[in-house]
Amino acid sequence: MLCSFEQFCINFTNEKLQQHFNQHMFKTEQEEYTKEQIDWSYIEFEDNQDVLDLIEKKPGGIVALLDEACMFPKSTHETFANKLYQTFKYNKRFIKPKFSQTDFTIAHYAGEVTYQSDQFLDKNKDYVVPEHQDLLIASKCPFVSDLFPPLPEETSKSSKFSSIGSGFKLQLQQLMETLSSTEPHYIRCVKPNNLHKPAIFENINIRHQLRCGGVLEAIRISCAGYPTRRAFVEFANRFGLFAPEATEANCEEKNVCQKILEKTGLKGYQIGKTKVFLRAGQMAELDARRAQVLGNAAKVIQQNIRTHQTRKHYLALQKKTIYLQAWWRGRLAFKLFEKMRREAAAVKIQKNIRSYEARKAYKELHMSVVTMQTALRAIAARKEFRFGIQTKASIIIQARWRCHKAALYYKRLKKGSIVTQCRWRGRLAMGELRKLKMAATHSGALLEAKSKLQKQVKERTRCLQQEKGLRAASDTSAHQEEKRKLEKQVEELTWRLQLEKGLRTNLEEYKAHEIAKLKNSLQEMKEKVDETNALLLLEREENAMKTIELASSVIKEADVLVEDPEKFKKLRMEVESLKTSLKLEKQKAHHYERKYIEARICCEERGKRLEDTEKKLRQLQESMTRFTSRRTL
């Protein structure tokens, strides 16, 4: 494939960049190793300086010959090609093709490239006239003036002619200067295939590109060399914590770095005159160890600080809890005392309030009963008065009809009242029979009771016969229902009375039993106290006699001095145990007294309730008698 002038400029740029890469990666690196006196095996690499001399060297380079050919108007591409053939006949990088008289081949670092020199002269002459360039530079539009920068003074003085090749050469030189002033990082692009299709990789072509681009040599030198290097001061400041004894002693920086590396146990490193050279990955290993040491130190510091803080917090909390417990115990004691005082006061208040409420309820009930009675009597009087007026007003018109109705109503009412009286008398008789059976166990009252019962039974049978005769005319259903309800109420009240009486008797029995128990326990306690006092007196007398007997004997003085304290201790212990038992017995006595008082209060309350129920029963019986008397009237 034949290339043109543009591809020639591009390849010239690639050669320059490759030279910069070689200079940075190989020459500078190896010069630094030799400068620092590092044990290093020199790596051979392919230098492309001869290709650059072939292209840009003055006065015999290709660019210089091209500019010279462009300055002569009669020169053609054949004359330019012949000039190249004659000048570079013996150059290894320049090759003349066999089947062409105008083409030439250059052996670049990436391979041989053939150029077609037909349009080299025309493309190199494509320049701007200086007058036109001055006019465009003086433009007020900044975009236009930036497109045509001013030419250097050397080129303007030497000749008015300015070619594309020389301008490109100057711009490339400026680019190399800027690249040399910076710290470059290279990215190598590889052409995977010649078909320009995805997912196709030609191994031979890629390997050739990597070898020509110096990538393999760069990999080899980075693997075999020391990519990480640090100055002694920087290395000692960063990794001095591995050997603190070396940093504390006023040693030289090189010795400090040597001790640090020996202590870490790294292999393959080298120490130069001013720097420490490390293999690939060793810096990361040192950083990891440094982070681990710092982490352990931080953990120890955190542990000590946390223990100090927790101890401080614990002591403060202990002090506060002690103060709070003392305050709270005092508060509880005060509350207990207040509770006891209030309970005593509440008992008195409850006693007075209950008596007041019972008295008040009794008065209210009395007043309500009186008001009910007056109201009922007034209503009955009004009804009777109205009834009298109505009868007087209508007596003339309905005299006979009313007489007839009154007679029928009177007969029915009489029959119903007879039936109710019979039933009621029968129940009363049964109750009196039970009472008589209970009362006539020790005397001859049973005969009288039997006679009375026989009379009541006869009356009951007579009432039942009358009731059977009057069942045919049972028009007074409402009266019977009311009577049944009242009878049920009376039965319930009597049952309740009997229950209350039974409870009262049980309570009295329980109370008497408890009182007897308490009296017995008190007597037992008194007897125990008397016995203990008597025992104490006896023991004291015995001890006094023993001490007198022992004091009389002079021989046993030492034994007395040893035995007396032990006996006194035993006596004191027995006295203390007796005192504690006395206290316990007193507490039990107080407890039984309280229970006795509570039972007594409950009995009084239940007696009051019984009296209330008896009163209610009497009132109901009175109302029943009144009701029956009114019905009979």
Side-chain angles (χ1 to χ4, degrees), residues 345-447:
V347 169
K348 289 181 182 179
I349 292 161
Q350 285 175 1
K351 181 176 72 174
N352 294 322
I353 287 167
R354 282 169 183 167
S355 63
Y356 172 73
E357 284 180 351
R359 198 178 297 110
K360 190 178 176 182
Y362 173 72
K363 286 180 179 178
E364 285 177 356
L365 187 64
H366 181 70
M367 291 295 292
S368 61
V369 168
V370 170
T371 51
M372 268 183 76
Q373 284 176 356
T374 53
L376 288 168
R377 285 169 186 169
I379 289 161
R382 286 193 198 96
K383 282 182 179 178
E384 285 177 0
F385 181 71
R386 285 173 188 168
F387 182 71
I389 291 166
Q390 286 176 3
T391 52
K392 283 179 183 179
S394 60
I395 199 165
I396 298 165
I397 302 162
Q398 296 174 350
R400 290 184 181 178
W401 181 253
R402 290 284 177 87
C403 288
H404 179 66
K405 281 281 186 185
L408 287 172
Y409 178 72
Y410 175 72
K411 286 176 183 178
R412 287 173 188 170
L413 192 62
K414 189 176 179 181
K415 288 175 184 178
S417 62
I418 288 162
V419 171
T420 52
Q421 283 174 4
C422 290
R423 287 181 181 176
W424 183 249
R425 283 170 185 168
R427 286 188 183 179
L428 288 172
M430 292 295 287
E432 286 177 2
L433 193 142
R434 285 172 190 168
K435 286 177 184 178
L436 288 167
K437 277 181 180 180
M438 294 283 289
T441 54
H442 302 289
S443 65
L446 285 167
L447 295 169

Side-chain angles (χ1 to χ4, degrees), residues 471-490:
R471 272 180 190 174
S474 60
D475 295 330
T476 59
S477 60
H479 178 66
Q480 287 177 3
E481 286 177 3
E482 288 178 359
K483 191 177 73 174
R484 284 171 190 167
K485 286 179 183 178
L486 287 167
E487 286 174 357
K488 282 180 183 178
Q489 288 179 359
V490 170

Side-chain angles (χ1 to χ4, degrees), residues 59 69 363 422 521 617 624:
K363 286 180 179 178
C422 290
S521 62
L617 257 173
M624 276 283 293

Side-chain angles (χ1 to χ4, degrees), residues 291-311:
Q292 188 177 2
V293 170
L294 289 172
N296 292 329
K299 284 176 184 177
V300 171
I301 292 162
Q302 287 174 357
Q303 182 182 1
N304 292 324
I305 289 167
R306 282 171 182 165
T307 51
H308 175 69
Q309 286 178 352
T310 49
R311 179 174 170 73

